[in-house]
């Protein structure tokens, strides 16, 4: 096993990203040996690669107690060999950790660009030279002149300054590091570190928090592709050793990049591994100019088990924000500004220059309005704490990150300016600057439309259909300006659009003629080229040859052919122009005039467009091309030069050329990597950019309920009562909108003593409005159908009423029933006719603007959208929803106010209504708080009146802080607490723990699994157990770690059925955190035929009672576990189960040879239980020992004997732990 582990670790290191300067990692000639080359820092390489060899003297000791021998070749420079001999802290390190230590050591010895080596005794360097070299590092690492391959890895922020000499951190720096990390820890975050932080080497600091604590709604988390259990992680790299806040303020912009770097990611653990941290700072370069470099971490949607961390949906803009702005903004904050003032002033200085920077206007010192809906953790401001002389930079960085992550919809994702708008959205976007939109969509900041098409194709169909209808009705107000779109020519007389003035005759609002901008045009005046077109050979011939070819390879053109294709447009891509005046084109996309009784795109054309290209035909001399008279125009109309109406027409034409979503999904399934930009023969660049804009500008969370979905998508339960309508889960508003809504629900429920806190009603709107509704939310700024009952958002109690306001039919001229309906996207799979929403309202009709015959709600915080219903005529039978069944777990509604759907009164699944779950959770939490132990009281009800489940201490949520991260926070000189009992200061700070007990009461343990076991918790009498003497030792860090372990186990007992858990700890009765009585039970769940079960039944026992004892060095040494009752047969008597004579559990796991400091007590209990039950031979109860318990001393003797027999290492502090100090000598 040890050798296998070594080989596996070596292979993993070879396949992953190697540390800086390490190449050619190979297995050596001898067992336990491996070699690699060190080439130096990027841009400051060694003259020749240095070959380094590492060898493990005894592979059987890997990875627990092995030692390394490290050396280099005889031809290596002497100072390299000396540095390798002086490397410390390599014992018990994995392969990857060792080469990372060597990389950090040798990187300090890298030559500068002139080939000079820094002398050991030199402490000075040329500042000008350093700045010049730093500048070269910054620009050279990103410049395209390097011609990086398709995937080239660089680490621009991981480069120590050339010529800079690093030295280990002294105790003053170490104390500052501890102080800064403790400040972040005390603020409620989890902190960690990787690398040589305390030694002044290249290192990482992590600050993280669970998503569930940020006050983000469930719908926002779905839209942001995170879960409540995920951690938001800020990863800070210090390539040249730790830098305090004051040091960073003294750096100019050129000095910052080589000294600090930032990455934002999400993960299941609170910090990444060292290899993942290096990957996060590894830049993947691409050849395409439109793609920026990204980190080597998985994408937000790739939540796999291969990596514990991944990028968030806005990691790239946040990384840029932190790297470019955080330190300058913090510098401005020191003058008295708050976050907003400092950010605004930074933007002002950078946009207009630094002139007059000393005279800061008073407006930048005005306080920012508070956000009452956000938790205190998000609103906290370390700089605002009075009396602090020093500020923790990791804490300031995390608070700045939370400001821009939780409130991401308040800021532009490119320029990061605050958006001064009343618009509330659930997804972030950009400001109205065209350059920001271009960067967002074209340079890689935008979302992955490919993921949306694969995961939710009908949501994409819905978004395109809404946009198409809005454009066809000339109702669009926002356009994709700034994307440099070159569109086909616009001809208003022959297109599938609705005359807005004709439409007004059927509506209720008069049409107001649009004011014309003289600089804009409504028609295209592009050159028309007369040609001959051979349809079979896809060849064009110029009759009147221009001097130069008017097109080039990759251009898209619009063909109009006389004859059989009269009236149709053929949109195609130019493939070849070498043999001009003859050019080749791809298979065209055929668009027909809407007056023809055919679809816009013929099935034959669609099939040809999707199918692979046909093999070339052999042309014989007798073959004569069949030239048809035709003409074409090039896609060279500047979209931004068109007026509003012409832009709407251009959008419709581009969308007409797109394939349907199922065809795009099929293409992506076949293509690796899945990217629509590779479908060049079918989708034009302009149409693809438009599609990206439609998807990226959607700021609502829409989840498809009906139809197929990806395997990773969470299934959604269907609402009953809406036969014939396709359903979508629907949420709008800011990320804290759900929280503000439920706050109003709670206030109203208390004030009016309501039994049913909310009611539901329908909202219908014409189809052309929905494109803007899903971007702006519901409001009543515009009136499409009058306001007979006052201002507000109108809601109907019957779906039939809303459908009258949601359809387009009243102003949609028919076409004989055979043609494509005007205003409908021709290639839609859904073929949407109308849409309406189901909203949840605060149950206070008397406070509405009007409550009869409609609910007219003026207060927008009283409204929350829940479902979107779409009436369609799909071709796919799977989308036709004629069969319905009521949800198994319905949300309770007021019988008197239940709205009626299309087919029946609606029944809503409880899973779709967050407010209902929050109300139940609150009641359940309040019930738990009363009369429970102090460990649970620590959590309380959260830091504010929040509907989102905010946990208390992070360590209670199943992920325990690594021992190394706890240890770094405490100095050895720190006073130790009183050792005897867990007292009121066991947790430190202002949190208190009762002297009487720890943990929640488990007398009832309301798990569903209790019916599957005969074990009853809480019946064990501790006073009758032969326990060892109470420990008289204690260490602060160990005490904290054990308290965290108890919290974690307590939470598991609250959530997992007893029968499935198999162990029980009565936390209320534990009097000393270093001594735990534990019961193992329900062995029938493992194997009902175990001899252990029969033995327990004969002695009328329901469990095995253990005593677990912890040393003061835990978790660096294993716990001592012994059986108290019943007595078992020894191995010589036919027993087993790793229970030795005397009752001690003797497994390698519980010795220094097999123990790991990262092991949790949950895993230890699981392994002990399985070892007792499933070992060969298994444990057997001694039939002659009825009622007898093991003594306290005999178990320790048996443990030492077994360790000596197997050659296992006994923990150094075992005798003190097992015998007590008074008997340690005699026991020896």
């Amino acid at each position: 096993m040890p050798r296998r582990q070594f080989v596996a670790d070596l292979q993993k290191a070879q396949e992953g990203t190697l540390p800086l300067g390490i190449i050619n990692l190979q297995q050596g000639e001898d067992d336990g040996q491996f070699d690699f080359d060190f080439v130096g820092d990027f841009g400051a390489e060694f003259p020749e690669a240095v070959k380094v060899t590492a060898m493990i003297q005894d592979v059987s000791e890997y990875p627990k107690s092995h030692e390394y021998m490290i050396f280099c070749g005889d031809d290596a420079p002497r100072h390299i060999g000396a540095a390798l001999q002086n490397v410390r802290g390599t014992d018990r390190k994995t392969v990857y950790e060792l080469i990372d230590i060597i990389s950090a050591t040798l990187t300090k010895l890298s030559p500068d660009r002139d080939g000079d080596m820094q002398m050991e005794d030199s402490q000075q360097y040329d500042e000008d030279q350093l700045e010049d070299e730093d500048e070269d590092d910054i620009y050279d690492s990103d410049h395209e002149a390097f011609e990086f391959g398709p995937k080239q890895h660089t680490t621009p922020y991981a480069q120590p300054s050339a010529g800079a000499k690093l030295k280990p951190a002294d105790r003053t720096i170490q104390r500052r590091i501890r102080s800064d990390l403790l400040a972040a820890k005390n603020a409620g975050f989890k902190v960690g570190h990787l690398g040589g932080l305390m030694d002044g080497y290249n290192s990482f600091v992590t600050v993280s928090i669970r998503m569930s604590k940020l006050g983000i709604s469930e719908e926002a988390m779905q839209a942001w592709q995170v879960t409540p259990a995920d951690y938001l992680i800020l990863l800070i790299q210090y390539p040249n050793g730790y830098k305090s806040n004051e040091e960073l303020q003294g750096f100019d912009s050129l000095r910052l990049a080589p000294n600090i770097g930032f990455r934002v990611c999400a993960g299941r653990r609170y910090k990444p591994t060292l290899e993942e941290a290096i990957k996060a700072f590894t830049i993947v370069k691409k050849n395409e100019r439109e793609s920026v470099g990204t980190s080597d971490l998985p994408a937000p949607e790739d939540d796999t088990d291969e990596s514990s961390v991944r990028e968030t949906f806005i990691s790239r803009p946040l990384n840029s924000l932190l790297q470019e702005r955080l330190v300058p903004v913090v510098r401005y904050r020191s003058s008295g500004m708050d976050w907003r003032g400092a950010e605004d002033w930074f933007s002002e200085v950078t946009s207009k220059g630094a002139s007059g920077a000393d005279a800061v206007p008073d407006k930048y010192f005005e306080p920012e309005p508070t956000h009452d809906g956000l938790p205190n953790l998000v609103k906290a401001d370390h700089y605002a704490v009075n009396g602090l002389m020093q500020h923790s930079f990791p804490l300031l960085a995390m608070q700045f990150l939370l400001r821009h992550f939780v409130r991401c919809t308040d800021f532009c994702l490119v320029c990061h300016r605050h958006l001064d708008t009343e618009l509330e959205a659930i997804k972030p976007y950009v400001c109205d600057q065209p350059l920001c939109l271009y960067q967002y969509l074209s340079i890689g900041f935008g979302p992955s439309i490919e993921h949306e098409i694969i995961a939710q194709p009908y949501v994409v169909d819905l978004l395109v259909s809404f946009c198409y209808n809005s454009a066809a009705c000339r109702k669009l107000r926002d356009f994709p300006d700034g994307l440099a779109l070159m569109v086909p020519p616009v001809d208003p007389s022959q297109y599938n659009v609705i005359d807005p003035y004709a439409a007004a005759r059927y509506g209720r609002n008069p049409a107001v003629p649009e004011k014309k901008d003289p600089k804009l045009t409504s028609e295209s005046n592009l050159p028309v080229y007369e040609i001959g077109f051979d349809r079979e050979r896809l060849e064009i011939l110029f009759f009147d040859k221009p001097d130069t070819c008017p097109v080039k390879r990759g251009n898209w053109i619009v063909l109009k052919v006389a004859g059989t294709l009269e009236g149709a447009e053929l949109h195609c891509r130019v493939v070849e122009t070498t043999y001009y005046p003859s050019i080749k084109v791809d298979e065209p996309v055929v668009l027909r005039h809407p007056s023809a009784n055919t679809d816009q795109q013929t099935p034959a054309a669609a099939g040809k467009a999707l199918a692979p290209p046909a093999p070339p035909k052999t042309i014989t001399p007798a073959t004569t091309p069949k030239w048809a008279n035709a003409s074409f125009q090039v896609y060279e109309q500047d979209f931004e030069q068109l007026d509003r109406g012409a832009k709407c027409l251009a959008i419709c034409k581009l969308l007409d050329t797109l394939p349907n979503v199922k065809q795009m999904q099929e293409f992506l399934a076949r293509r690796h990597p899945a990217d629509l930009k590779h479908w060049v023969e079918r989708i034009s660049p302009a149409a693809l950019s438009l599609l990206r804009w439609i998807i990226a500008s959607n700021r609502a969370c829409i989840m498809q309920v009906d139809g197929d979905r990806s395997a990773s998508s969470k299934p959604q339960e269907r609402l009953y009562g809406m036969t014939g309508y396709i359903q979508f889960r629907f949420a709008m508003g800011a990320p804290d909108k759900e929280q503000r809504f439920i706050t109003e629900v709670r206030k109203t429920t208390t004030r009016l003593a309501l039994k049913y806190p909310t009611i539901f009603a329908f909202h219908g709107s014409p189809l052309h409005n929905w494109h803007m509704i899903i971007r702006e939310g519901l409001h009543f700024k515009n009136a499409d159908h009058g306001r007979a009952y006052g201002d507000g958002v109108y809601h109907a109690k019957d779906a039939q009423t809303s459908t009258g306001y949601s359809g387009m039919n009243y102003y949609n001229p028919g076409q004989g029933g055979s043609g494509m309906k005007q205003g409908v996207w021709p290639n839609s799979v859904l073929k949407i006719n109308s849409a309406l929403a189901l909203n949840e309202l605060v149950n206070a009709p008397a406070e509405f603007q009007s409550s009869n015959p409609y609910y007219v709600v003026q207060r927008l915080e009283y409204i929350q959208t829940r479902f979107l219903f779409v009436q369609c005529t799909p071709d796919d039978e799977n989308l036709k929803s004629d069969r319905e069944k009521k949800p198994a777990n319905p949300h309770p509604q007021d019988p008197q106010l239940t709205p009626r759907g299309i087919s029946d009164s609606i029944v809503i699944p409880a899973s779709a209504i967050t407010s209902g779950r929050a109300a139940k959770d609150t009641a359940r939490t309040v019930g738990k708080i009363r009369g429970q132990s102090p460990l649970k009281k620590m959590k309380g009800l959260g830091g504010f009146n929040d509907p989102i489940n905010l946990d208390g201490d992070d360590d209670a949520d199943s992920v325990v802080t690594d021992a190394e991260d706890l240890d770094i926070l405490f100095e050895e000189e720190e006073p130790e607490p009183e050792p005897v009992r867990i007292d009121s200061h066991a947790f430190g700070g202002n949190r208190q723990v009762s002297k009487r007990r720890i943990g929640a009461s488990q007398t009832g343990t309301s798990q569903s699994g209790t019916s599957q076991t005969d074990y009853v918790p809480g019946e064990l009498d501790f006073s009758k157990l032969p326990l060892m003497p109470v420990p008289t030792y204690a260490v602060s860090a160990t005490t904290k770690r054990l308290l965290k372990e108890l919290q974690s186990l307590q939470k598991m007992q609250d959530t997992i059925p007893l029968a499935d858990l198999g162990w029980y700890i009565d936390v209320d009765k534990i009097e000393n955190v270093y001594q735990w009585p534990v019961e193992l039970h329900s062995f029938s769940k493992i194997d009902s035929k175990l001899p252990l079960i029969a033995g327990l039944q004969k002695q009328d026992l329901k469990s095995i009672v253990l005593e677990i004892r912890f040393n003061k060095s835990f978790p660096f040494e294993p716990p001592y576990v012994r059986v108290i009752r019943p007595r078992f047969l020894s191995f010589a008597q036919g027993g087993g189960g790793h229970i030795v004579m005397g009752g001690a559990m003797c497994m390698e796991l519980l010795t220094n040879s097999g123990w790991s400091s990262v092991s949790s007590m949950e895993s230890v209990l699981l392994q002990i239980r399985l070892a007792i039950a499933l070992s060969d031979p298994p444990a057997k109860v001694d039939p002659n020992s009825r009622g007898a318990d093991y003594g306290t001393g005999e178990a320790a003797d048996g443990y030492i004997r077994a360790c000596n027999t197997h050659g296992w290492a006994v923990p150094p502090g075992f005798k003190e732990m097992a015998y007590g100090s008074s008997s340690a000598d005699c026991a020896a």
Side-chain angles (χ1 to χ4, degrees), residues 856-1115:
V856 182
V857 186
Q858 195 171 29
R859 297 184 60 181
L860 298 182
E861 63 270 21
Y862 274 23
I863 308 171
Q864 187 68 323
T865 55
R866 295 302 181 192
F867 278 88
L868 180 64
F869 304 107
V870 178
Q871 187 182 42
C872 308
T873 54
D875 297 328
D876 189 350
E877 293 294 330
N878 295 327
L879 290 175
K880 296 180 179 179
S881 51
D882 296 331
R883 298 181 180 179
E884 288 192 306
K885 67 175 183 178
K886 294 183 178 181
N889 182 25
H891 175 77
Q893 298 185 71
D894 188 339
Q896 305 299 322
L897 300 176
T898 300
R900 180 171 179 81
I902 297 297
S903 54
D904 200 351
S905 296
I906 65 168
V907 181
I908 306 170
S911 60
I913 308 303
T914 308
S915 61
R917 296 198 301 274
K920 293 180 180 178
D921 290 342
T922 303
R924 185 162 52 246
T925 305
V926 172
K928 281 186 176 182
I929 291 297
R930 295 169 184 161
Q932 83 182 180
S933 69
L935 274 185
K936 290 294 181 180
K937 286 182 180 178
M938 283 177 55
K939 295 187 178 182
L941 288 173
F944 64 108
N945 293 330
D946 56 303
I948 314 300
N949 182 20
L950 300 181
D951 299 323
D953 197 329
D954 220 26
D955 275 327
D957 295 331
S958 77
V959 178
V960 178
T961 304
D962 289 348
E964 61 182 8
D965 294 329
L966 286 175
D967 188 56
I968 199 175
L969 300 176
F970 303 98
E971 295 186 86
E972 296 179 359
E973 298 81 8
E974 185 179 359
E976 297 178 358
E978 292 296 326
V980 183
R981 292 178 180 267
I982 302 171
D983 202 43
S984 59
H985 300 287
F987 277 88
N990 296 325
R991 295 175 174 173
Q992 296 185 349
V993 179
S994 169
K995 297 181 181 180
R996 183 173 62 87
R997 59 184 182 172
I998 303 175
S1001 175
Q1002 290 279 349
T1003 55
T1005 312
S1006 58
Q1007 291 108 327
S1008 60
T1010 53
S1011 61
Q1012 303 173 20
T1013 177
D1014 57 356
Y1015 172 74
V1016 179
E1019 293 188 348
L1020 183 65
D1021 188 352
F1022 279 29
S1023 63
K1024 297 181 180 180
L1025 296 177
L1027 299 173
M1028 292 183 290
V1030 175
T1032 57
Y1033 50 77
V1035 176
S1036 176
T1038 302
T1039 301
K1040 292 177 181 292
R1041 172 64 183 265
L1042 290 173
L1043 287 169
K1044 304 299 185 185
E1045 290 280 2
L1046 274 178
Q1047 284 182 293
S1048 179
L1049 297 175
Q1050 174 82 43
K1051 182 176 181 179
M1052 294 187 68
Q1053 291 185 159
D1054 287 343
T1055 57
I1056 300 177
L1058 276 177
D1060 295 337
L1061 205 58
W1063 49 262
Y1064 178 75
I1065 301 176
D1066 197 338
V1067 185
D1068 291 274
K1069 296 181 181 179
I1070 293 179
E1071 296 184 344
N1072 191 288
V1073 75
Y1074 290 81
Q1075 185 178 36
W1076 299 359
V1078 180
E1079 294 180 85
L1080 305 181
H1081 57 82
S1082 305
F1083 289 95
S1084 59
K1085 293 281 289 185
I1086 300 176
D1087 187 352
S1088 59
K1089 298 181 180 180
L1090 289 174
L1092 170 64
I1093 298 175
L1096 291 174
Q1097 290 175 345
K1098 289 180 180 179
Q1099 297 201 16
D1100 196 25
L1101 296 175
K1102 303 293 191 299
S1103 65
I1104 299 173
V1105 182
L1106 307 178
E1107 181 180 11
I1108 301 181
R1109 186 91 159 199
F1110 298 92
N1111 194 356
K1112 59 185 177 183
S1113 298
F1114 181 84

Side-chain angles (χ1 to χ4, degrees), residues 178-483:
R178 288 192 177 95
S179 173
D180 286 354
L181 297 187
L182 271 173
K185 178 74 173 176
N186 294 335
F189 301 103
K190 289 182 76 72
V191 295
H193 74 284
L194 298 163
L197 180 63
M198 286 300 193
D199 299 321
Y201 295 141
N202 185 357
S203 56
F204 304 89
V205 169
T206 66
V207 188
S208 57
I209 190 70
R210 278 201 187 271
M211 298 288 182
S212 60
K213 296 186 176 184
L214 301 182
I216 304 172
S217 67
E218 179 182 337
E219 290 76 12
M221 290 190 189
Q222 291 177 348
W224 296 0
Q225 298 173 345
V226 296
T227 67
D230 282 338
Y231 284 94
L232 175 65
I233 305 169
L234 172 61
L235 186 60
I236 308 175
Q237 185 186 27
Y238 297 96
N240 297 321
Y242 185 81
K243 300 292 185 291
S244 67
N245 179 50
E246 293 75 24
E247 290 178 281
L248 291 172
Q249 302 311 311
F251 289 159
D252 57 24
S253 59
L254 294 180
R255 297 282 301 279
L256 277 176
N259 284 284
I260 195 166
F262 303 91
R263 289 294 184 270
V264 179
C265 50
R268 295 181 293 275
R269 297 194 74 250
Y270 72 94
K271 73 174 185 178
T273 64
L274 180 59
E275 183 176 5
E276 290 168 341
I278 294 176
K279 279 187 176 182
F281 285 89
T282 300
I283 304 300
V284 180
K285 297 286 185 179
K286 298 183 179 180
N287 285 329
E288 293 85 349
R289 286 179 176 269
E290 66 272 16
S291 299
V292 296
T294 60
S295 76
D296 206 18
L297 290 178
E301 61 270 14
D302 296 336
D303 188 10
T304 63
D305 294 333
E306 297 179 1
S307 177
S308 63
V309 296
R310 65 189 188 279
E311 287 191 325
T312 70
F313 76 117
I314 52 172
S315 282
R316 275 176 275 179
L318 288 179
N319 293 340
S320 174
L321 169 72
L322 292 168
Q323 192 67 42
E324 297 171 3
R325 302 194 177 200
L326 174 58
V327 173
V329 167
V330 171
R331 187 182 300 131
Y332 292 138
R333 291 222 54 196
S334 62
S335 63
M337 305 179 194
D338 62 11
W339 284 120
R340 180 166 184 177
E343 288 186 77
D344 290 346
W345 179 238
F346 174 86
S347 298
E348 182 74 12
V349 170
T350 53
S351 63
K352 297 184 179 180
S355 59
D358 294 334
V360 183
D362 292 341
K363 66 178 182 179
Y364 295 105
F365 293 90
E366 296 177 359
E368 182 179 12
T370 59
H371 292 255
D372 296 333
L374 296 176
N376 293 329
L377 183 76
V378 178
K379 296 186 294 185
D381 186 358
H382 184 46
Y383 241 119
V385 178
N386 295 325
L388 288 181
M389 300 300 295
Q390 296 178 337
H391 294 90
S392 167
F393 184 79
L395 176 55
L396 289 171
M398 188 63 181
Q399 291 178 341
F400 185 70
L401 169 61
L402 288 185
R403 169 181 172 84
H404 282 268
F405 183 83
V406 177
R407 297 174 51 196
C408 61
T409 57
D410 292 345
F411 301 91
C412 173
L413 282 181
V414 175
C415 69
H416 307 292
R417 294 178 184 269
H418 191 274
L419 300 176
D420 294 322
T421 175
E422 297 179 359
L423 169 65
E424 287 194 347
I426 207 167
K427 293 181 182 179
Y429 196 47
V430 293
C431 62
D432 55 4
Q433 295 295 323
L435 181 60
C436 290
L437 179 61
Y438 174 78
Q439 292 181 347
Y440 180 65
L441 296 180
S442 302
I443 309 186
F445 281 172
S448 169
I449 66 170
E450 287 78 13
H451 171 71
E452 293 294 328
I453 292 170
I454 293 172
Q456 297 199 109
Y458 301 122
V459 173
V460 176
D461 191 297
L462 182 80
L463 296 176
V464 176
S465 297
F466 283 165
C467 179
Y468 189 97
N469 189 272
S470 186
C473 295
R474 322 260 183 112
K475 293 290 186 178
L476 279 181
R477 294 196 296 273
D478 295 331
F479 296 94
D481 293 326
L483 297 184

Side-chain angles (χ1 to χ4, degrees), residues 623-639:
T623 303
T624 302
K626 299 178 181 179
W627 301 109
N629 291 327
S631 63
F632 79 84
Q633 292 176 285
V634 187
Y635 275 38
E636 55 185 7
Q637 171 63 57
D638 188 348
F639 180 80

Side-chain angles (χ1 to χ4, degrees), residues 829-868:
V829 175
L830 299 178
K831 294 182 173 59
I832 300 173
N833 298 320
S834 62
L836 65 155
L838 179 71
N839 298 339
E840 185 176 12
L841 312 176
V842 175
N843 191 1
E847 301 175 10
F848 296 167
Q849 182 76 12
S850 175
S851 59
N852 192 36
Y854 309 110
Y855 297 134
V856 182
V857 186
Q858 195 171 29
R859 297 184 60 181
L860 298 182
E861 63 270 21
Y862 274 23
I863 308 171
Q864 187 68 323
T865 55
R866 295 302 181 192
F867 278 88
L868 180 64

